[in-house]
Every structure is written in C-alpha cells, then in structure tokens.
Amino acid sequence: MRIDIITCLPRLLDSFFAHSILQRAQTGGYVEVVVHDLRDYTADKHRRVDDYAFGGGAGMVMQIEPIARCIRALQADRTYDEVIYMTPDGERLNQQTTNSLSLRRNLIILCGHYKGVDERVRELFVTKEISIGDYVLSGGELAACVLADAIIRLLPGVLNDETSALTDSFQDNLLAPPVYTRPAEFEGHRVPAILLSGHEAKIDEWRHEQALERTRARRPDLLES
Ligand code: ADE
C-alpha cells in the first residue's frame, strides 16, 4: 500500500511516521508513506498556499491551484483508490471505514488548514471526506496521522501478533475485554482466576462476556447498531 499525504506542514508529520510500528511498517515494505509539501506546488514567489475568502469573513482559505497541481502530479504516476480530505464536516471515522481503506492500494490524504480548502477542491478532486471526531483541530495533520495509523496497523504482517488487530475494540462492534499481565497479584489485587486456568475455551467465553458487559456499560450505542 502507498499513502501520499499532502500538507503545508510536512515537518509535523515526519516524526510521527519515523517511530515504532509505523516506521517498521515502512522499513518492512508493508506501506510507503510519502509526505508532500504543498508549498512545492505553488507558483507564488512567496510560496503562499492560501488567500482571503471571497465575500469576506475571518480566516484564510487554501487555494485550489497548488492542491490541483500536487494531486495531478501524483495521479500521473499511479491510480489512486481514494483522495481523502480530512475535515471536521466529513463522515465520522470508525473501524469499518478503516478496515475497508486498509484493503486499498493507493491513497491520497489531503490535510486542510485555516478555514479549509476552496470548495472546488472538494467538488473536483476529493472522493471521500473524513472527520476524526466532533471537535475542530488547528489542521488536518493530526487527523491524517490518526487515519494512517489506524489503517497501517491493519495491514497483514505489520503487527507482530497476526491476530491482535482482529481482537481490537470495535472489531465486531464490541469493546475489547480487560487484559492482565504479571504479577498475578499486586498488593492483594488478583488477576481473574479463569485467566490462569489454562482452559482456552472457557477463557474465550469469559473474554466475550466481559467484552459484552463492557460494551453494554460504556457504549450501548454499539450494540444497537
Ligand atoms: N481538521 C480539523 N479538525 C478535524 C477533525 N475533527 N477531523 C478531521 N480533520 C480535521
């Protein structure tokens, strides 16, 4: 899989992808993440990528030309399955969307800034608009990192334990059950005895019950959907 991220703050993304699982996913050849500085695609001598909003009002708007130039340059080299715009008024991100995007080959993620992008970018280039929650960030970069992280960890081979992404919270619309590790007793607080029993079928059953109970208590909306 290849993920191209378009941003006017490329440095903000560099360190995020240079560590831990995301770095291993790239060096292991499971994903290629390429960050593009939108300012490299402007014809403006001051490398500006934004301008005042027509009609007035506070806040700058990202211009269409640099974005169009960047997207077209990428599309000239390969076909993209989606051009995703990170925006608080997009479709709310969930595990289903993440699962389905993890099956794609090439994705472009466009990070908004200021008051957002010129509406014609959305009409002409964007195929999917994603929000990571009902709050406004100062830019789409963090949201792009969240999306890319959620996708990349699902790619086969990226996690050490092949099954662990399948047992995450939200797969099957259930929250994950509680987990424990050594010591078996901490200051009188013991790990549930079933987990030490070695009885695999009973442990699976206990985990499923715990997942249901937790979901009922914390996120009943997931059980309704
Ligand atoms: N850009 C600013 N806020 C955002 C959000 N909540 N989700 C996605 N992109 C954003």
Side-chain angles (χ1 to χ4, degrees):
M1 167 181 253
R2 175 174 163 131
I3 302 178
D4 290 273
I5 304 179
I6 304 173
T7 169
C8 44
L9 292 171
R11 295 281 86 78
L12 209 55
L13 295 157
D14 288 346
S15 72
F16 184 79
F17 290 101
H19 299 283
S20 186
I21 289 173
L22 295 182
Q23 188 223 3
R24 269 187 281 124
Q26 291 169 89
T27 52
Y30 299 105
V31 67
E32 188 179 355
V33 178
V34 188
V35 176
H36 303 273
D37 185 348
L38 197 53
R39 294 182 202 282
D40 292 342
Y41 294 86
T42 172
D44 180 77
K45 67 172 188 271
H46 303 295
R47 292 176 35 96
R48 276 183 64 169
V49 292
D50 61 327
D51 209 335
Y52 295 99
F54 278 130
M60 306 298 279
V61 177
M62 287 170 70
Q63 293 174 287
I64 190 168
E65 288 108 324
I67 297 172
R69 227 173 267 129
C70 182
I71 291 176
R72 283 182 175 142
L74 291 172
Q75 286 175 334
D77 288 339
R78 66 196 68 74
T79 303
Y80 285 88
D81 300 290
E82 300 282 3
V83 178
I84 302 165
Y85 174 48
M86 304 311 299
T87 175
D89 61 5
E91 147 202 343
R92 184 107 58 87
L93 183 63
N94 60 26
Q95 194 63 44
Q96 270 105 298
T97 305
T98 309
N99 290 348
S100 93
L101 288 173
S102 76
L103 301 173
R104 305 285 187 265
R105 182 175 289 277
N106 299 314
L107 300 174
I108 290 176
I109 304 178
L110 171 64
C111 305
H113 240 272
Y114 319 110
K115 274 283 162 200
V117 296
D118 186 303
E119 188 64 19
R120 291 165 293 183
V121 171
R122 303 170 76 156
E123 291 163 4
L124 298 176
F125 294 101
V126 169
T127 61
K128 199 170 186 61
E129 305 187 325
I130 294 181
S131 161
I132 63 162
D134 290 344
Y135 42 82
V136 180
L137 301 165
S138 51
E141 284 75 16
L142 263 176
C145 290
V146 168
L147 176 63
D149 181 292
I151 292 171
I152 291 168
R153 61 189 297 286
L154 293 176
L155 302 177
V158 167
L159 295 187
N160 295 328
D161 177 353
E162 284 271 3
T163 64
S164 81
L166 296 175
T167 57
D168 286 340
S169 279
F170 302 114
Q171 299 290 4
D172 303 330
N173 270 346
L174 288 179
L175 299 182
V179 292
Y180 300 86
T181 185
R182 282 184 289 195
E185 181 180 337
F186 173 72
E187 297 177 356
H189 298 268
R190 304 181 66 82
V191 166
I194 181 77
L195 296 177
L196 309 175
S197 69
H199 197 307
E200 224 170 283
K202 288 221 163 108
I203 292 173
D204 282 349
E205 196 180 313
W206 179 86
R207 285 187 170 142
H208 185 67
E209 279 163 16
Q210 291 288 315
L212 267 173
E213 198 172 298
R214 195 160 263 207
T215 309
R216 236 179 257 127
R218 299 179 185 192
R219 292 291 306 276
D221 58 300
L222 290 176
L223 295 173
E224 283 150 25
S225 63

